[in-house]
């Protein structure tokens, strides 16, 4: 016999959710660290106070990502503990993350082109 039934009750449905939550928190932490580094270095390297904006946006995004991952984890775990399959509509979060990544890429490209030209 394979699958969760063969584990004699050792399967924990919440562990996958925990790993996913932890990975999102690591992503938010990485974004926060990168944003703090950019706050420190970009204004010095590119000679302008306007270069703190990407770092501030990154810190706000990291905070939102951290809070969202925490809220979703709690909602998922409540569903698992209630004996239901965990499902939450994530289309809005996916669109916001995609838009943020695309915007960051375009801004990074614009900054690189403005410095090199």
């Amino acid at each position: 016999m394979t699958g969760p039934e063969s584990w004699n009750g050792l399967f924990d449905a919440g562990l996958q959710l925990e790993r996913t939550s932890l990975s999102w928190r690591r992503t938010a932490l990485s974004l926060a660290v990168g944003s703090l580094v950019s706050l420190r270095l970009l204004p010095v390297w590119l000679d302008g106070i306007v270069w703190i904006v990407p770092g501030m946006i990154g810190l706000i995004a990291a905070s939102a990502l951290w809070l969202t991952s925490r809220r979703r984890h709690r909602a998922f775990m409540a569903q698992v503990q209630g004996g239901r399959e965990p499902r939450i509509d994530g289309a809005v979060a996916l669109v916001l993350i995609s838009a943020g990544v695309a915007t960051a890429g375009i801004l990074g490209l614009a900054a690189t082109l403005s410095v090199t030209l």
Side-chain angles (χ1 to χ4, degrees), residues 10-49:
L10 296 177
F11 177 73
D12 184 356
L15 288 179
Q16 181 180 4
L17 299 173
E18 184 71 24
R19 287 190 306 270
T20 302
S21 176
L22 290 172
S23 69
W24 277 110
R25 290 180 186 173
R26 282 191 305 271
T27 301
L29 183 61
S30 298
L31 180 59
V33 168
S35 298
L36 288 171
V37 169
S38 74
L39 276 172
R40 175 73 173 118
L41 298 179
L42 285 181
V44 174
W45 286 350
L46 301 176
D47 293 327
I49 195 72

Side-chain angles (χ1 to χ4, degrees), residues 112-117:
T112 303
L113 291 175
S114 72
V115 171
T116 58
L117 296 178

